[in-house]
Amino acid sequence: MTLRQWLLLCIPAFFWGSAFVLMEVALPGFSPLMIVAGRMVVAALFLNGVVLAQGQKWPQSKAVWLECAGLSVVNNLLPFGLVVWGQQYIGASLAAILISSAPVFTVVLASVVGRERMSLGRGLGVLVSFSGVVVLVGPDVLSGFSLKGIGELAILGAALSYSVAGFWGRRFKVVPAEMLSTMTITLGMLLVVPLMLWVELPMAVEWQ
């Protein structure tokens, strides 16, 4: 790989990894729902600015918007919520490791839903990967109920949700990637912000 390719790989990796650290820093002062809502608002503003600068137009099909709403739930709201909730009980480094199991779930789902053949090599890779996950979460889960173990399972649930979203996203072949991301983030913001206000405002009034 060239230096430019390494840089292009490291930049998204930096932003992806730093998200877990930033959520851990924010959790003592903000609820998980507030963090998810804030993350969606910032992303929606940025992405809408990008597509407007590019001169792209919103799709007019209601069916596409409904599909995007469903995609937003499994690709944004559900995994974002599970990750930040789980990080209340586990560290950012462990959360980042567990979320990386998403490709393993993708391979399994591809053999079940995508009807791709599970070869011997893929099967061994899945087995080794899940063995690593068991080593990480097994003692906590098997020892009985613990918030740390539940937090780890929440992160794995987020990884599974990302995998499902990958298959769901295949339906949008005619929608540019930038527009698809903007639509799903925007719809997710419109769903989570009213929910956050409905949940958090009464609590804020009670504290006063």
Side-chain angles (χ1 to χ4, degrees):
M1 293 177 63
T2 64
L3 178 60
R4 182 174 181 273
Q5 290 173 326
W6 276 110
L7 289 174
L8 290 175
L9 178 63
C10 290
I11 290 173
F14 168 77
F15 284 107
W16 174 259
S18 63
F20 297 94
V21 178
L22 293 174
M23 283 187 284
E24 184 172 301
V25 171
L27 272 170
F30 300 92
S31 70
L33 192 55
M34 293 174 67
I35 294 174
V36 173
R39 185 176 180 181
M40 298 292 285
V41 169
V42 172
L45 292 174
F46 176 78
L47 289 174
N48 275 280
V50 170
V51 296
L52 285 175
Q54 293 177 342
Q56 297 191 44
K57 296 182 179 180
W58 296 100
Q60 301 299 312
S61 171
K62 293 181 179 179
V64 172
W65 281 99
L66 287 174
E67 289 282 352
C68 277
L71 180 61
S72 181
V73 171
V74 295
N75 192 52
N76 301 126
L77 297 180
L78 187 58
F80 287 3
L82 287 172
V83 167
V84 72
W85 186 88
Q87 278 196 239
Q88 295 178 106
Y89 311 109
I90 66 174
S93 58
L94 179 56
I97 293 172
L98 292 176
I99 202 69
S100 65
S101 62
V104 182
F105 287 116
T106 300
V107 172
V108 175
L109 288 174
S111 64
V112 176
V113 180
R115 298 180 181 179
E116 294 185 14
R117 181 174 172 270
M118 177 67 78
S119 63
L120 178 60
R122 288 182 180 179
L124 289 175
V126 169
L127 181 61
V128 171
S129 299
F130 273 119
S131 298
V133 172
V134 170
V135 170
L136 286 173
V137 306
D140 295 304
V141 175
L142 296 178
S143 62
F145 176 82
S146 71
L147 290 175
K148 184 174 184 292
I150 299 301
E152 291 168 342
L153 292 178
I155 305 298
L156 291 175
L160 176 59
S161 186
Y162 279 131
S163 299
V164 173
F167 287 94
W168 197 316
R170 292 181 179 181
R171 305 181 184 188
F172 301 92
K173 296 180 180 180
V174 296
V175 181
E178 298 88 348
M179 178 58 71
L180 180 60
S181 297
T182 304
M183 292 170 66
T184 54
I185 287 291
T186 302
L187 288 169
M189 178 194 69
L190 295 176
L191 290 172
V192 75
V193 169
L195 175 62
M196 183 271 293
L197 294 174
W198 181 68
V199 172
E200 298 294 341
L201 282 182
M203 296 178 64
V205 172
E206 288 181 6
W207 278 103
Q208 293 178 354

